[in-house]
Amino acid sequence: MNWFSWAVLSALFAGLTAVLAKSGAKDVDANLATAFRTVIVVAVSVPLALWTNSQSLRSIPATAW
């Protein structure tokens, strides 16, 4: 996939997240809903980043952490 495909998918999922957040979290505190969405994003993005094997975690400089 090229960068444009990834950008389109990113925009699509960002829009989907906003729509689902508004409809699914009506009676939930906004901070709690944001924390929950953040946990979901981390749970999906970290394995994806490790799976693509684009950079070793050991090669990240300490200042970046």
Side-chain angles (χ1 to χ4, degrees):
M1 287 182 119
N2 62 12
W3 68 268
F4 186 76
S5 300
W6 288 114
V8 169
L9 283 173
S10 176
L12 177 72
F13 285 119
L16 185 62
T17 299
V19 169
L20 292 176
K22 291 288 183 186
S23 66
K26 289 180 199 169
D27 301 326
V28 179
D29 179 57
N31 290 331
L32 181 60
T34 300
F36 183 71
R37 284 194 305 269
T38 302
V39 168
I40 298 298
V41 168
V42 169
V44 171
S45 62
V46 169
L48 181 64
L50 295 174
W51 176 64
T52 59
N53 229 6
S54 58
Q55 182 178 10
S56 169
L57 289 178
R58 294 186 188 132
S59 68
I60 300 173
T63 56
W65 286 103

